[in-house]
Amino acid sequence: VKKMKPDPEGIDKILEKIAVTKEEVFFVGDSWVDGAAAKNANIRFVLFRETILDAEKYPIKIWKHIRSLNALLSIVENNFSD
């Protein structure tokens, strides 16, 4: 990719390569740049860090906030199971 986050170019290329829709994925990150990239790509953002970012201070929308990678499994099971 030529553009770095928060530009959505990298996310868009990955989604195209693996042939999934934006409704089928979420982006996990630990910074406002990750959240802004998800927002710019129009996909859900899972914030992975101890404290929650001030959503008003940064141009992001947090779908879920987790403090442990173990929490990812329940997100997938509860939101993406058939």
Side-chain angles (χ1 to χ4, degrees):
V1 297
K2 296 182 180 178
K3 299 177 184 175
M4 297 180 67
K5 295 182 289 183
D7 190 276
E9 179 188 12
I11 295 171
D12 290 338
K13 284 190 176 203
I14 291 169
L15 296 179
E16 183 180 325
K17 180 89 170 167
I18 62 175
V20 296
T21 66
K22 294 182 179 197
E23 293 77 25
E24 297 175 288
V25 300
F26 57 88
F27 187 91
V28 179
D30 65 353
S31 72
W32 74 268
V33 175
D34 295 329
K39 180 182 175 187
N40 292 339
N42 199 29
I43 60 173
R44 291 170 283 204
F45 176 59
V46 176
L47 176 64
F48 172 55
R49 65 186 286 154
E50 277 299 310
T51 58
I52 197 158
L53 297 171
D54 181 357
E56 292 179 8
K57 184 176 178 183
Y58 299 104
I60 64 172
K61 180 178 178 186
I62 300 167
W63 179 56
K64 305 278 185 189
H65 175 219
I66 60 172
R67 292 176 175 85
S68 161
L69 289 177
N70 293 333
L72 284 177
L73 181 58
S74 66
I75 290 174
V76 172
E77 290 174 343
N78 293 330
N79 295 280
F80 297 93
S81 297
D82 288 340

